[in-house]
Amino acid sequence: MKFKFILILILSFLSLNHFALFGDEKASLLQNEQNTIDIYRENGASVVNVSNFKLAKTGWFFDFDIMEVPSGTGSGLVWDNKGHIITNFHVIQGGDSFLISFKNDKTQYPAKLVGVVPAKDIAVLKLEKLPKNLKPVTIGSSTNLMVGQKALAIGNPFGLDQTITQGIISALERKIKGIGGVKIHGMIQTDCAINPGNSGGPLFNSKGEVIGMNTMIFSHSGSSAGIGFAVPINTIKSMVPQLIKHGKITRPGLGITVAEEYVKAHFGIKKGIIIKYIPQDSPAAKAGLEGMSRDQYGRYYIGDIILKIDKYDINSFDDIYNTLENYKIGDKVKVTYERHGKLKTVDLKLIKI
């Protein structure tokens, strides 16, 4: 009898603990769900649909009419109270006019192009007319992100507006090839479902802060395969104010033009980048660097081949573009180059380009 009583107590204790654990798990799940719901409710009005139109000729023979035709759609986010919209460059690329749509608002608002950074796939639009309630997103930071933390994406995949997907940050500091063959460094990898139409939309953390802009996916089918990439918000924050103020960004450069990759292949150059042209009044010209030349018969000759900038190896335009992002205009760098098989170095002051 005593044994049965002890057994009943043990079973009761285990059952209570089971239900307690189950209850904690349920409460945790509901808390996570509520967090997702809150982020969606708080930010839905700040995520927009971006429609891209281009001018096209219609008609037969000499009877041409000019009309706007849809060129593509994507997502965007409200940056500030002045009506600036941030999206991807590839969303607005080739467009002549743009329309912005908001959640629960049937009006389509025209927007003009302010500026772009194709190498970072960033574009800024500005609304020509503001809606009554314009709500900017809360800008976060991409400095202290951790692999495994919660991430959420809101956008318009396949035209299905105001779609939210949830996942985690799968990896950080990815280098992904963007437009023009230049890699975008520091990309955030996420397993949030990202599909065509999500481009330009925000990636949020669990606080509802924007930590990146969804840009591209890796997929054989063209649909989400659980590998999406976002431009980090710190990259966007560093460029958008310049685009808003000047319509372009200024960055440090050597003041040279680099030869294309096929030129390297033609001359059998394996390492470094060939200087194609140097303006006469540039610091590079004053320092004695030489570009390509051509004789009276039209034959081209190689000048200097840049191999390093300070400690960084330079073997492509991508290398020099991203290396110079580590510097400011006015900084001095040591350039190692090859001329007729001999290594040389020169100190150059970076100029604004």
Side-chain angles (χ1 to χ4, degrees):
M1 187 71 177
K2 186 176 180 181
F3 175 78
K4 288 184 179 179
F5 178 75
I6 293 173
L7 182 61
I8 291 170
L9 283 177
I10 293 172
L11 291 174
S12 299
F13 176 78
L14 291 174
S15 297
L16 286 171
N17 276 276
H18 170 75
F19 285 116
L21 289 172
F22 180 79
D24 287 343
E25 183 180 347
K26 184 177 181 181
S28 175
L29 177 62
L30 291 174
Q31 184 180 2
N32 184 47
E33 287 177 333
Q34 189 60 53
N35 175 247
T36 302
I37 292 167
D38 290 343
I39 290 171
Y40 180 75
R41 287 177 174 173
E42 184 69 19
N43 294 282
S46 305
V47 182
V48 301
N49 180 278
V50 180
S51 297
N52 176 356
F53 296 86
K54 63 181 179 181
L55 299 176
K57 294 181 179 180
T58 61
W60 297 91
F61 299 105
F62 299 105
D63 182 23
F64 290 120
D65 291 322
I66 304 296
M67 64 178 297
E68 290 184 335
V69 296
S71 181
T73 61
S75 304
L77 57 93
V78 179
W79 183 259
D80 57 27
N81 289 315
K82 295 180 180 179
H84 290 105
I85 306 295
I86 311 302
T87 187
N88 283 138
F89 169 71
H90 76 260
V91 170
I92 58 88
Q93 187 176 14
D96 296 299
S97 63
F98 313 96
L99 291 176
I100 308 298
S101 303
F102 290 82
K103 181 182 179 182
N104 298 327
D105 190 341
K106 295 182 180 180
T107 303
Q108 289 188 308
Y109 296 86
K112 63 180 180 180
L113 183 61
V114 173
V116 299
V117 188
K120 300 296 183 183
D121 210 353
I122 297 171
V124 179
L125 302 171
K126 186 176 183 182
L127 297 169
E128 296 180 0
K129 177 186 176 184
L130 302 182
K132 290 182 180 180
N133 299 307
L134 189 64
K135 188 176 183 300
V137 294
T138 300
I139 304 299
S141 172
S142 49
T143 300
N144 298 314
L145 298 179
M146 294 182 289
V147 173
Q149 77 177 74
K150 181 178 177 178
L152 306 99
I154 302 179
N156 308 292
F158 300 111
L160 300 171
D161 61 327
Q162 297 295 314
T163 297
I164 186 170
T165 55
Q166 178 178 312
I168 61 170
I169 293 176
S170 305
L172 296 167
E173 297 299 326
R174 294 298 196 198
K175 297 178 182 179
I176 305 301
K177 190 173 182 180
I179 295 173
V182 177
K183 289 181 180 177
I184 307 175
H185 288 204
M187 292 282 275
I188 302 166
Q189 182 182 332
T190 176
D191 69 349
C192 293
I194 306 295
N195 287 292
N198 273 114
S199 292
L203 184 71
F204 295 96
N205 61 16
S206 57
K207 295 179 182 178
E209 300 168 335
V210 177
I211 55 174
M213 177 169 62
N214 300 311
T215 299
M216 63 186 74
I217 59 174
F218 277 178
S219 171
H220 294 296
S221 66
S223 299
S224 176
I227 303 178
F229 299 94
V231 178
I233 193 63
N234 285 9
T235 299
I236 298 168
K237 286 193 294 186
S238 70
M239 297 183 175
V240 166
Q242 288 190 63
L243 291 176
I244 291 174
K245 188 174 182 179
H246 304 293
K248 61 180 182 179
I249 63 165
T250 56
R251 51 190 317 275
L254 298 174
I256 64 173
T257 301
V258 177
E260 296 82 357
E261 285 296 314
Y262 70 82
V263 177
K264 279 181 61 178
H266 174 76
F267 286 100
I269 303 299
K270 302 296 183 182
K271 291 185 177 181
I273 57 172
I274 299 173
I275 299 177
K276 185 176 182 179
Y277 171 74
I278 304 175
Q280 290 184 357
D281 59 346
S282 70
K286 294 175 182 177
L289 288 175
E290 298 177 358
M292 295 179 66
S293 59
R294 186 171 62 172
D295 64 18
Q296 60 182 337
Y297 302 106
R299 292 175 296 195
Y300 284 92
Y301 297 91
I302 293 176
D304 295 333
I305 303 170
I306 294 178
L307 300 172
K308 279 191 173 187
I309 295 177
D310 285 340
K311 64 180 180 179
Y312 301 101
D313 291 329
I314 304 297
N315 292 303
S316 65
F317 178 75
D318 176 69
D319 288 339
I320 194 169
Y321 183 94
N322 284 292
T323 293
L324 292 179
E325 285 199 331
N326 297 303
Y327 299 89
K328 300 187 297 294
I329 296 167
D331 285 350
K332 286 188 176 180
V333 296
K334 178 176 287 187
V335 177
T336 302
Y337 64 98
E338 179 183 329
R339 178 183 293 174
H340 308 310
K342 295 183 179 181
L343 292 181
K344 297 176 177 288
T345 61
V346 66
D347 291 329
L348 283 181
K349 185 178 181 180
L350 298 177
I351 62 173
K352 180 172 68 175
I353 59 172

